[in-house]
């Protein structure tokens, strides 16, 4: 939803973790651990699971060369300076993106794409200094014009998103802005005369959904081209253009050679222009809006002034037309100005020929969708439309970003310039995004769920995305969990949420997709050529995955052998009812009320089992010879020990798995009057009404089901029956729209965490966790045991509820949503469109689930 409250929630939910916690406790809790190790490197760190995983590999990394950065650190801070430098030093290994399989045809075929997901239509190349293209238009709201460009709720579009997109060379998007209907189509092709990346075209098809009136003003569209490198290019005058084909701009670049941008329309259109010289691309909306306002005051006309600055590197074309209107824009690469084939190449991407090619690609998309996700022809028309839009906007929302993350310096270290962060090395990232409006950037925790879908659709795109993420590993094996790269991405995030903390992790969900992928490889579900590429990728990725795993196994280890907890919780806050665990991905899901190093988090233990099992499976399948081979086998065995899991985390009475730590249920938020310098102010602060004790944390919800989700519970165990009871109980988790995130009987159910922090993972229905639970129900319904039939019954009912509610919301509102409201008839809530993990509804319809067998 739009509004300042939602903005606060948005960045709370996906913002930074807390800085390293201090030992002072706002509640003056005497049980607080007195020696808190920063980043999990204290006296207990070496006791992690009996020291199973060899540190030989990491030792090799430690003696690798460090990159020197001229930051200007303070004096006398040697160890802290070393830690800071290590946090921004790349892992000294060959980059996965340098593998031959990501060059040649692969790189060429993916060079251009709709890789600017934060704007309604944005095209760029996968290179740091690209030509970028985009669309704007003037919409009308409350009788006033508003320029539409960047995806945002305040524009109040009734729907927008790619309803079809194959991730490579075709997409079709539908946008409805009050009475205006805009359909954008994208198509790419590679001809013999094309330069690198080929040629592409965009069709803008605009109509008015109400009866047309001759006195209505024309529709104003804007299409721009800009060079991020600052290189200027030629803009052709369009003052006399009315219809037909015209050259808008041309230039030359090292990557694509000589290029041209041409426009074709059979409708009567008027074109006005403006050219700018600027290094900034993130404020194009304001630039165009200001130009229109100035010219309107000068001339009384809503049009660009047909002037350009010297050496312009940004060209904007205003295309005004009576509706309905159709405009084709064509980009040609590798143009030989003397060649007679230019007009022929334009003709293949405009008019009737373009319509024919779009129809062919549309049919191919539909056929592929049916083959992959509706082979049994069980999906009805409404479900299929929602499913196509889900995967279409997921693939159409894949972006390319380039820049430097900001990394927090260690506590106690000062920089001479007063900054609290330093920069990661310049890096590129090709990634899907959770939401084009609210979260148009890379999130590590989300990406593994995205790849469940992507690898089934296009395994090479999947490996490309995972390879980019793994190339972000630093020398310690850490990946920044939120990627805010480049000025355009930074423009969407408040400054206080930009900095990343190298002691904080995020669920290693990439192992979900990698285990799924390796299982499919083992079952010979790929062609021989695909299998060879996947095997090469997995073998090459293995050392990087090993470094990543070892970072978790060291920095997130618990005080006792075989235990783990999410580091980074704030143990000094007075403003939070329950200190958030942003690093877990589950944000405000209730954990121990008083964080310290005695904590044990059951979800993280399960993630570690998943990761170790995935590593062991890759080793076995590919015959990888590595010093850690026996270690991963042993770790998988130990973390799979059901009796040990139960001893650490099971509440036998309820059959739920709980976290463990210093906890009391008797906490509350209330208003306090505080006096400071004779001034009285009121603050909403936490009160602890009893001493916390070491105990299980009695909150039933998604965390309680993690061993179930991961298939750890034996099918004959009574615990499985208890877990099915929890799932099916309407007073606990079950609703007619999906499983809620936190039980209705929890003391934290739907509670605000601060004065301005509404509940997030405290009741809402989230599709990623429902998909995991559904996968497990499907698994237990297929294996022999006393609960097989009951698991099957719950599976069918939960699957039906999820599909019905998501599809109904999509057709009623025009969007897939971030989560769904268990209290308000399953209505969509939060960010929209949210075609990240909510797109898993496609796999739910297809009954395509990860294989849980180990």
């Amino acid at each position: 939803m739009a509004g300042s409250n939602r903005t606060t929630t948005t960045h709370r939910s996906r913002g930074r973790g807390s800085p390293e916690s201090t030992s002072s406790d706002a509640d003056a809790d005497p049980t607080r651990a007195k020696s808190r190790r920063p980043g999990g490197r204290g006296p207990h760190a070496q006791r992690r699971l009996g020291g199973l995983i060899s540190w030989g590999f990491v030792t090799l990394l430690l003696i690798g060369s460090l990159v020197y950065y001229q930051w200007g650190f303070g004096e006398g801070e040697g160890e802290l300076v070393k830690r800071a430098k290590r946090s921004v030093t790349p892992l000294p290994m060959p980059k996965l993106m340098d593998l031959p399989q990501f060059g040649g045809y692969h790189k060429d075929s993916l060079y251009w794409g709709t890789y600017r997901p934060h704007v309604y239509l944005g095209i760029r190349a996968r290179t740091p200094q690209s030509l970028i293209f985009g669309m704007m238009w003037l919409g009308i709201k409350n009788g006033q014009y508003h320029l539409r460009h960047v995806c945002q709720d305040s524009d109040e579009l009734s729907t927008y998103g790619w309803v079809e997109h194959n991730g490579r060379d075709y997409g079709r998007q539908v946008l409805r802005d009050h009475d205006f209907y805009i359909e954008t189509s994208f198509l790419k092709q590679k001809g013999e005369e094309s330069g690198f990346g080929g040629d592409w075209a965009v069709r803008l098809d605009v109509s008015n959904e109400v009866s047309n009136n001759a006195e209505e003003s024309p529709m104003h569209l804007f299409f721009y081209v800009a060079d991020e490198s600052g290189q200027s290019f030629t803009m052709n005058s369009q003052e006399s253009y009315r219809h037909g084909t015209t050259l808008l701009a041309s230039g030359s670049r090292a990557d694509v050679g000589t290029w041209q941008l041409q426009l074709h329309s059979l409708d009567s259109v008027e074109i006005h222009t403006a050219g700018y010289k600027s290094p900034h691309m993130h404020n194009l909306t304001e630039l165009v809006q200001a130009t229109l306002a100035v010219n309107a005051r000068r001339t009384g006309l809503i049009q660009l002034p047909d002037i350009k600055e010297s050496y312009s590197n940004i060209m904007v074309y205003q295309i005004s037309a009576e509706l309905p209107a159709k405009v084709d824009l064509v980009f040609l690469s590798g143009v030989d100005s003397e060649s007679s084939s230019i007009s022929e190449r334009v003709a293949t991407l405009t008019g009737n020929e373009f319509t024919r090619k779009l129809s062919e690609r549309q049919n191919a998309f539909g056929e592929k969708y049916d083959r992959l996700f509706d082979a049994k022809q069980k999906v009805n028309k409404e479900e299929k439309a929602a499913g196509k839009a889900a995967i279409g906007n997921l693939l159409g929302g894949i972006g390319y970003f380039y820049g430097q993350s900001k990394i927090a310096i260690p506590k106690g270290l000062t920089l001479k310039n007063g900054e609290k962060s330093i920069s990661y090395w310049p890096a590129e990232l090709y990634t899907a995004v959770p939401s084009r409006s609210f979260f148009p950037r890379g999130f590590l925790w989300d990406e593994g769920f995205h790849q469940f879908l992507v690898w089934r659709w296009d395994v090479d795109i999947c490996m490309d995305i995972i390879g980019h993420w793994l190339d972000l590993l630093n020398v310690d094996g850490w990946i920044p969990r939120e990627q805010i790269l480049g000025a355009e991405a930074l423009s969407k995030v408040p400054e206080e949420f930009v900095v990343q903390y190298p002691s904080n992790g995020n669920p290693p969900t990439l192992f979900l997709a990698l285990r799924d992928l390796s299982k499919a490889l083992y079952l010979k579900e790929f062609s021989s050529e695909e299998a060879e590429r996947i095997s090469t990728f997995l073998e090459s990725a293995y050392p990087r995955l090993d470094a990543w795993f070892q970072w978790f196994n060291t920095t997130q280890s618990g005080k006792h052998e075989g235990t783990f907890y999410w580091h980074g919780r704030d143990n000094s806050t007075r403003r939070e009812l329950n200190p958030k665990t942003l690093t877990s991905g589950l944000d405000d899901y209730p954990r121990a009320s008083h964080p310290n190093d005695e904590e044990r988090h059951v979800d993280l233990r399960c993630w570690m089992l998943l990761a170790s099992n995935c590593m062991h499976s890759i080793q076995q399948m590919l015959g990888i010879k590595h010093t850690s081979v026996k270690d991963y086998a042993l770790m998988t065995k130990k973390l799979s020990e059901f009796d040990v899991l139960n001893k650490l985390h099971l509440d036998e009475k309820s059959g739920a798995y709980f976290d463990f730590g210093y906890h009391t249920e008797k906490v509350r938020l209330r208003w306090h009057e505080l006096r400071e310098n004779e001034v009285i102010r009121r603050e909403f602060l936490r009160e602890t009404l009893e001493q916390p004790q070491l105990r299980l944390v009695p909150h039933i919800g998604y965390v309680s089901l993690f061993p179930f989700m991961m298939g750890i519970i034996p099918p004959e165990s009574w615990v499985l029956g208890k877990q099915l009871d929890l799932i099916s109980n309407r007073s606990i988790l079950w609703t007619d729209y999906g499983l809620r995130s936190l039980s209705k009987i929890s003391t934290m159910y739907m509670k605000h965490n601060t004065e301005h922090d509404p509940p997030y993972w405290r009741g809402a229905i989230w599709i990623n966790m429902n998909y995991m639970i559904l996968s497990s129900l499907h698994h237990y319904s297929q294996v022999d045991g006393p609960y097989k039939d009951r698991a099957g019954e719950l599976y069918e009912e939960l699957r039906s509820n999820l599909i019905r509610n998501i599809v109904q919301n999509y057709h009623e509102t025009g969007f897939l949503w971030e989560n769904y409201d268990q209290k308000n008839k399953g209505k969509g809530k939060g960010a929209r469109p949210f075609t990240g993990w909510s797109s898993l509804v496609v796999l739910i319809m297809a009954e395509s689930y990860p294989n849980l067998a180990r």
Side-chain angles (χ1 to χ4, degrees), residues 552-577:
F552 275 97
N553 196 41
T554 304
T555 67
Q556 308 299 297
S557 60
K559 188 173 181 179
H560 304 285
E561 182 177 338
T563 65
F564 301 91
Y565 72 99
W566 297 107
H567 291 234
R569 297 186 71 206
D570 188 350
N571 67 357
S572 62
T573 180
R574 293 189 67 191
R575 289 180 171 80
E576 294 181 87
L577 181 62

Side-chain angles (χ1 to χ4, degrees), residues 612-663:
S612 65
N613 175 246
C614 180
M615 294 295 286
H616 180 54
S617 298
I618 293 172
Q619 288 170 337
Q620 282 190 313
M621 182 174 55
L622 300 181
I624 294 174
K625 305 298 182 184
H626 196 280
T627 56
S628 63
V629 170
K630 293 182 180 178
D631 297 332
Y632 281 118
L634 185 55
M635 186 167 196
T636 299
K637 180 180 179 182
K638 283 188 171 289
L639 288 177
S640 298
E641 290 178 354
F642 190 53
D643 291 340
V644 175
L645 170 69
N646 291 346
K647 182 179 179 181
L648 293 171
H649 292 288
L650 180 66
D651 174 57
E652 293 192 0
K653 182 178 180 181
S654 66
Y657 289 96
F658 293 140
D659 291 336
F660 180 89
Y662 273 108
H663 183 74

Side-chain angles (χ1 to χ4, degrees), residues 241-292:
Y241 175 82
R242 288 297 176 265
H243 61 82
T245 301
T246 184
L247 176 64
L248 297 180
S250 59
S252 181
R253 285 175 52 96
D255 55 348
V256 299
T258 302
W259 60 268
Q260 290 186 357
L261 178 66
Q262 302 222 19
L263 179 147
H264 172 85
S265 180
L266 297 180
D267 297 304
S268 179
V269 301
E270 186 176 333
I271 298 177
H272 294 279
T273 61
Y276 309 92
K277 176 66 176 177
S278 175
H280 305 297
M281 304 295 154
H282 63 279
N283 60 351
L284 290 177
T285 308
E286 292 78 12
L287 198 63
V288 174
Q289 199 160 271
T291 302
L292 287 170

